[in-house]
Amino acid sequence: MNADAPIAARAAALRSRSRSPLRRALGRFLRNRAAIAGLLILAPVLLAVLTYPLWWRHAPNSIDLRALNSGPTAAHWLGTDGVGRDTLARLLQGGRISLLIASVSVAISLCVGFVVGAVAAFGGRALDGMIMRLVDLAMTLPPVILLLVLASITGTGILPTIFVISLLSWPVLSRMVRARLLELRERDFVVASRGFGAGLGHLLWRHALPNSLDILVVYATVQVANAILLEAGLSFLGMGIVPPEASWGNMLRAARSTVVLELHPWQWMPAGAALVATVLAINFIGDGLRDAFDPRADIT
C-alpha cells in the first residue's frame, strides 16, 4: 500500500497538469478560504441592494414626520434620520449608488488602461515612448489633490463622480498591461501574425486581450474596492453624491454632527459597517483571484 502512494501522487499531479489553466485557477480560488468568505459576505449585500424595492416598503426619500430621529422599531428596522427618512432604505439605495459608481468607473478605467498599455506595447518604439511619458506625467500628479480639483470642476452627482474616479485609475493598469505585452510581442505567433499583415486592432483583440485577461480581472476586483472608498470620501466631503440622493459616503457625513455621533448612531453606523464589510469582502476576493491566476501557486 505504501509503495503505491508515490504512484498515486504522481497520477494526481499529472491529472492536475492536464486540466485547463482556467480550471486550475478556479480550483485554487475555491480552496482559498478568505476568498470564499468574501463571496459569502458580498453576495447577500449585492442581493439586498439590488432587490430591496421588492421587499422593503419604505422608499429612500419618503418622509415620516411622526418618526423624526427615531431609533430602530418594527416599522423602521434601522431607525430614521433627522427628517424622518428610513435608514435601511437609504442604506440599501446608497449601496446601489456606491456599487454602480464603482463598477462603471472601473469598467471605463479598464478599457482606457488596457488600450493605452496595449497600443504602447504594439505600436512601435516612438509611439511607446510618447504614450509612456504621458502615463508617467499622469502618475506624478498627487492623487488626492487631483481628485479634489477635478471634483470641484465637474461638480457633484453620479456622472461627474464616475468621471473623476475613472480618470485616476487607468495609469497603473496601462503600465501593467504594457509590461505583459512587451514580452508577448516577441513570441512566434505574434511575429507570424504581423508577418501575415495583421493590423493593430487584430493584435489587440486576438492576442493582447486574451493574454492580459488575468491582469484585468484581478485589477478590476481590487480597483472596485478603491473606487467605493474614493466615492465615499468625496461624498463625505460634499463633493460626490449629495442629498437627497443616498450613498454610504454622505450617510457617514451625518456623523460630523456631535449630536448625531453620540445620540443617533443608527444614522451612520450601518453605512460605516456596510462600507467596511463590502470593501473587505472585495479585497478578499481580489486576493483570491490574484493567487488563483498566479502560475507559481499551481498545485503539483
Side-chain angles (χ1 to χ4, degrees):
M1 188 61 122
N2 292 335
D4 293 336
I7 299 176
R10 287 195 294 269
L14 183 60
R15 287 195 299 269
S16 176
R17 293 191 188 98
S18 65
R19 292 184 298 172
S20 67
L22 184 59
R23 291 186 62 185
R24 292 200 300 271
L26 179 60
R28 289 193 293 268
F29 180 81
L30 293 177
R31 287 190 292 270
N32 191 312
R33 294 182 180 179
I36 298 302
L39 282 177
L40 294 177
I41 295 172
L42 185 62
V45 172
L46 290 176
L47 183 64
V49 301
L50 292 177
T51 64
Y52 83 91
L54 302 177
W55 52 269
W56 188 240
R57 64 181 182 273
H58 297 290
N61 290 324
S62 63
I63 296 175
D64 185 357
L65 295 177
R66 297 169 298 178
L68 302 181
N69 288 321
S70 171
T73 63
H76 302 281
W77 293 355
L78 295 180
T80 62
D81 62 9
V83 295
R85 296 174 298 192
D86 184 75
T87 301
L88 178 58
R90 291 186 64 77
L91 176 72
L92 297 174
Q93 177 65 15
R96 179 180 290 189
I97 296 299
S98 297
L99 291 171
L100 171 67
I101 291 174
S103 301
V104 176
S105 62
V106 168
I108 294 173
S109 65
L110 281 179
C111 294
V112 174
F114 169 75
V115 171
V116 171
V119 170
F122 285 123
R125 181 174 298 179
L127 185 60
D128 181 24
M130 181 180 67
I131 290 177
M132 296 318 295
R133 297 298 77 74
L134 293 176
V135 172
D136 291 339
L137 177 62
M139 294 181 67
T140 58
L141 298 175
V144 175
I145 297 177
L146 180 62
L147 185 72
L148 296 178
V149 170
L150 288 175
S152 64
I153 294 174
T154 59
T156 60
I158 295 177
L159 291 179
T161 305
I162 290 174
F163 174 75
V164 169
I165 294 176
S166 61
L167 279 183
L168 292 178
S169 307
W170 63 268
V172 173
L173 176 62
S174 66
R175 296 192 69 90
M176 295 169 62
V177 170
R178 173 181 175 270
R180 168 68 63 84
L181 298 182
L182 283 178
E183 185 270 336
L184 180 74
R185 72 180 183 183
E186 304 301 330
R187 294 190 179 181
D188 292 340
F189 61 89
V190 177
V191 175
S193 295
R194 283 181 161 176
F196 281 110
L200 182 60
H202 176 86
L203 294 174
L204 298 187
W205 179 253
R206 295 298 299 273
H207 300 302
L209 182 59
N211 287 280
S212 303
L213 198 57
D214 56 339
I215 294 177
L216 298 179
V217 170
V218 174
Y219 188 82
T221 307
V222 175
Q223 192 57 37
V224 165
N226 293 334
I228 292 174
L229 291 175
L230 286 174
E231 182 278 323
L234 284 175
S235 299
F236 181 82
L237 295 174
M239 305 178 73
I241 306 301
V242 295
E245 191 61 76
S247 81
W248 289 340
N250 65 29
M251 291 183 69
L252 287 173
R253 183 179 172 85
R256 297 177 65 181
S257 168
T258 305
V259 174
V260 173
L261 184 66
E262 295 179 353
L263 301 180
H264 310 304
W266 60 84
Q267 295 181 14
W268 59 271
M269 285 188 68
L275 183 65
V276 171
T278 303
V279 170
L280 280 177
I282 295 174
N283 282 332
F284 287 157
I285 295 171
D287 290 341
L289 289 172
R290 182 196 61 205
D291 294 340
F293 282 112
D294 186 358
R296 293 171 298 181
D298 202 3
I299 304 299
T300 58

